[in-house]
Amino acid sequence: MVSFLTTLILALIIFVPACYLSSKILFRTSEQAKDNYVEFVKELVDFAKDAPLGARKSIILIMDEATAIVYFEQNKQEVIVNVDARFDYSDFTIHLQKPGQCSDAQNCLCLIRKANFDVTAIDDVTVTGLMGKIVVIPQRVICTDLDFNLEVETCSIGKPEAVNSYVCSNGFMIERHLTDEASVAAASYYELPRRTVLYFSKFEDTVRLEGDYGGSESS
């Protein structure tokens, strides 16, 4: 009995601090990505305001898993991503709903930190070519209205995994496993590392984002 209690106490001494340390690391990781996004937006706004035409600048983007950066064009209520999957009858669409924090009259950039999903399967996939539709309903977000246009060189940012391309409309999405838990259809995606380099390029009234990784087609 004494031996059992001794073993139990030793296990608790090892296990409890380990759990505490793990939770602290996870919390710090999430805060790091949030703080990086805030700095990313600040750098973006300053670049749009002060950089000369033709200027180019790099920035490191840090993203947690199950998150996305989404740009909504003004007066658009959702961003639609058409996913061209690598396998037959596996294509699907992602519909990202515009958060209430965004103004309809301006462009808006958001970090979606947590979302709910409404998944609809397509009855006759052989006719439509689509496996299903994933509606992303943001729950925890950080949004900023922008008085300039933002675009991406390609919506297919990342290393392709069972996917040919993303084609975005009404804005764009840069995501890191956002819809993994929503549907098996989401097995076709672009793998983005936790840290990646993006580039700003200045055009008149527009800033373009480019990544080190890219897919085969532009949006």
Side-chain angles (χ1 to χ4, degrees), residues 54-71:
R56 183 175 165 88
K57 177 179 181 177
S58 64
I59 187 168
I60 294 178
L61 180 66
I62 301 174
M63 294 186 67
D64 289 335
E65 291 198 9
T67 65
I69 293 175
V70 185
Y71 170 71

Side-chain angles (χ1 to χ4, degrees), residues 13-79:
I13 290 173
I14 296 171
F15 181 70
V16 172
C19 290
Y20 175 76
L21 179 61
S22 296
S23 65
K24 291 285 285 184
I25 291 173
L26 288 173
F27 178 77
R28 185 171 67 248
T29 297
S30 180
E31 288 302 305
Q32 182 187 41
K34 184 184 77 171
D35 292 344
N36 172 262
Y37 173 76
V38 172
E39 181 63 23
F40 173 84
V41 172
K42 180 182 182 302
E43 294 284 341
L44 174 64
V45 171
D46 289 346
F47 183 81
K49 178 182 177 182
D50 300 327
L53 292 178
R56 183 175 165 88
K57 177 179 181 177
S58 64
I59 187 168
I60 294 178
L61 180 66
I62 301 174
M63 294 186 67
D64 289 335
E65 291 198 9
T67 65
I69 293 175
V70 185
Y71 170 71
F72 298 88
E73 295 176 355
Q74 62 180 10
N75 299 318
K76 304 296 184 182
Q77 297 306 307
E78 66 176 9
V79 170

Side-chain angles (χ1 to χ4, degrees), residues 36-158:
N36 172 262
Y37 173 76
V38 172
E39 181 63 23
F40 173 84
V41 172
K42 180 182 182 302
E43 294 284 341
L44 174 64
V45 171
D46 289 346
F47 183 81
K49 178 182 177 182
D50 300 327
L53 292 178
R56 183 175 165 88
K57 177 179 181 177
S58 64
I59 187 168
I60 294 178
L61 180 66
I62 301 174
M63 294 186 67
D64 289 335
E65 291 198 9
T67 65
I69 293 175
V70 185
Y71 170 71
F72 298 88
E73 295 176 355
Q74 62 180 10
N75 299 318
K76 304 296 184 182
Q77 297 306 307
E78 66 176 9
V79 170
I80 301 173
V81 182
N82 290 292
V83 180
D84 180 7
R86 189 165 297 166
F87 304 108
D88 292 340
Y89 310 121
S90 297
D91 296 350
F92 62 100
T93 59
I94 301 171
H95 297 249
L96 300 122
Q97 303 298 292
K98 190 175 190 176
Q101 291 89 327
C102 291
S103 167
D104 285 341
Q106 287 187 284
N107 300 317
C108 190
L109 187 67
C110 297
L111 171 64
I112 298 179
R113 305 183 68 199
K114 181 178 176 57
N116 290 336
F117 306 99
D118 185 0
V119 181
T120 303
I122 305 300
D123 291 335
D124 198 341
V125 65
T126 58
V127 173
T128 64
L130 292 175
M131 176 183 287
K133 170 183 175 181
I134 302 174
V135 177
V136 180
I137 307 163
Q139 297 298 304
R140 287 171 50 203
V141 296
I142 304 173
C143 294
T144 303
D145 290 330
L146 304 176
D147 59 3
F148 57 90
N149 297 321
L150 196 59
E151 65 180 26
V152 284
E153 181 184 32
T154 172
C155 198
S156 305
I157 296 179

